[in-house]
Amino acid sequence: MTRSDLAEFDMPRADLTAALKCCLRRVRRGRYIVMTDCSSSHFDHIRALAHEPGITFPQFHGDVRDAVEELRIRIASRRDSVLPSDVFSHVSAALIHGLDPVDAGTKKVEISRSAYSRSYPDMTLYDRTIAVEDVDHSLSYPVTSLPRTLADIALDHPLEVSVPLISEAMREGRATRESIEPHFAAGARGLKRARLALTLSNADYESNAEAFCAVKFRRHGVTGMIPQVNTYSPTGKFIGRNDFRHDRAPVIVEVHGVGKYYMHPKGPDQAARENHQRNMNLVNAGFRVFNLTFGDLFRPNIFAQIKWAIDSAINNH
């Protein structure tokens, strides 16, 4: 909301000052966002607005997801101040399309316009010509179409940003390599990286964290890891479906997120017990199992251990 909106609600300056210490946040000059519901009297002036249907409050978790939530707030603060020809693009567009990045790669709102490229403290402008058919008008924001969005991200952002988002769109049946690649202009800056992003992206990754892990495999020289493989014991008994298994070495990598435990129908404790039993079955079947937390994806030594385990198994075979 704007300062003018608050004035229309007859919010006294004293209440505004109190709210800014509690439930209201100034995002940028003249732009505010309600952070949470509040029982204090200073909230009375905006309570009705905050409780309107469809209104949600920002959600923070105390981890890397908070950077994405901060970016969502900045995007919302820009919605009513863009020029008629402006189009939200890149990671900003991906968020508007409902994709969920592991790493946003930027803290800035990204907008494309046929004018000039410029970087501001909280916004990046790209000098891009956006065809009419590449603009999605079905959302609350002027935004690039999803294939164009993913192409722009692949061209201008690291693989850690692009591959999880492209894989997510593929997994949900919302984009294909064939729909994205035509947006790669010949000779465009970042073209080699963009094509690699399409190569690494895979609908078989069951989570964006797995796609992120696949990028880290490449960064650290780990090759031959196949996603989502059914594994059996030497007697043919099914043990489980693994996030990654090497195509030659008996090495398995599992990428664990909160969802693997808390989305289990019988709760996290039962999920943990089942995971422990499966790990024991895999070890007994002769596999070396690496269970990676999200934090492990940022630790090079973990991938060095995985690579050593693979090389050792192959060399000793």
Side-chain angles (χ1 to χ4, degrees), residues 140-159:
S140 300
Y141 302 72
V143 60
T144 49
S145 66
L146 186 54
R148 173 61 190 262
T149 295
L150 297 172
D152 286 340
I153 293 172
L155 287 165
D156 295 316
H157 281 282
L159 298 172

Side-chain angles (χ1 to χ4, degrees), residues 144-198:
T144 49
S145 66
L146 186 54
R148 173 61 190 262
T149 295
L150 297 172
D152 286 340
I153 293 172
L155 287 165
D156 295 316
H157 281 282
L159 298 172
E160 284 82 354
V161 178
S162 61
V163 172
L165 292 173
I166 295 171
S167 298
E168 180 182 3
M170 289 178 171
R171 185 169 62 250
E172 295 176 352
R174 300 172 63 191
T176 63
R177 289 182 179 86
E178 293 73 22
S179 68
I180 298 169
E181 193 164 18
H183 297 285
F184 295 161
R189 181 180 179 183
L191 183 58
K192 183 178 179 180
R193 178 179 57 197
R195 287 175 174 161
L196 177 58
L198 282 188

Side-chain angles (χ1 to χ4, degrees), residues 52-105:
E52 284 186 358
I55 297 296
T56 59
F57 301 115
Q59 296 185 0
F60 295 97
H61 306 275
D63 55 34
V64 294
R65 291 174 290 179
D66 291 355
V68 175
E69 192 68 8
E70 290 284 358
L71 182 53
R72 288 193 179 98
I73 291 172
R74 296 188 188 99
I75 294 168
S77 76
R78 289 280 177 183
R79 182 173 62 175
D80 299 326
S81 60
V82 295
L83 299 177
S85 61
D86 287 351
V87 181
F88 287 95
S89 63
H90 294 76
V91 176
S92 293
L95 291 175
I96 295 169
H97 280 291
L99 297 182
D100 186 23
V102 174
D103 178 4

Side-chain angles (χ1 to χ4, degrees), residues 17-156:
T17 300
L20 287 171
K21 297 178 181 179
C22 175
C23 53
L24 194 67
R25 176 174 158 188
R26 180 179 179 271
V27 182
R28 61 189 182 90
R29 185 176 181 181
R31 302 283 171 170
Y32 302 84
I33 187 168
V34 180
M35 299 297 292
T36 184
D37 203 350
C38 182
S39 59
S40 301
S41 60
H42 56 248
F43 194 71
D44 293 343
H45 301 278
I46 54 177
R47 192 180 308 279
L49 175 65
H51 289 170
E52 284 186 358
I55 297 296
T56 59
F57 301 115
Q59 296 185 0
F60 295 97
H61 306 275
D63 55 34
V64 294
R65 291 174 290 179
D66 291 355
V68 175
E69 192 68 8
E70 290 284 358
L71 182 53
R72 288 193 179 98
I73 291 172
R74 296 188 188 99
I75 294 168
S77 76
R78 289 280 177 183
R79 182 173 62 175
D80 299 326
S81 60
V82 295
L83 299 177
S85 61
D86 287 351
V87 181
F88 287 95
S89 63
H90 294 76
V91 176
S92 293
L95 291 175
I96 295 169
H97 280 291
L99 297 182
D100 186 23
V102 174
D103 178 4
T106 181
K107 296 180 180 180
K108 300 180 180 182
V109 177
E110 292 170 294
I111 291 174
S112 290
R113 63 169 57 151
S114 299
Y116 52 83
S117 296
R118 185 168 296 177
S119 181
Y120 298 95
D122 64 343
M123 181 172 64
T124 298
L125 296 178
Y126 294 92
D127 179 12
R128 302 285 169 84
T129 299
I130 308 295
V132 174
E133 61 269 22
D134 290 336
V135 179
D136 189 337
H137 296 284
S138 67
L139 304 169
S140 300
Y141 302 72
V143 60
T144 49
S145 66
L146 186 54
R148 173 61 190 262
T149 295
L150 297 172
D152 286 340
I153 293 172
L155 287 165
D156 295 316

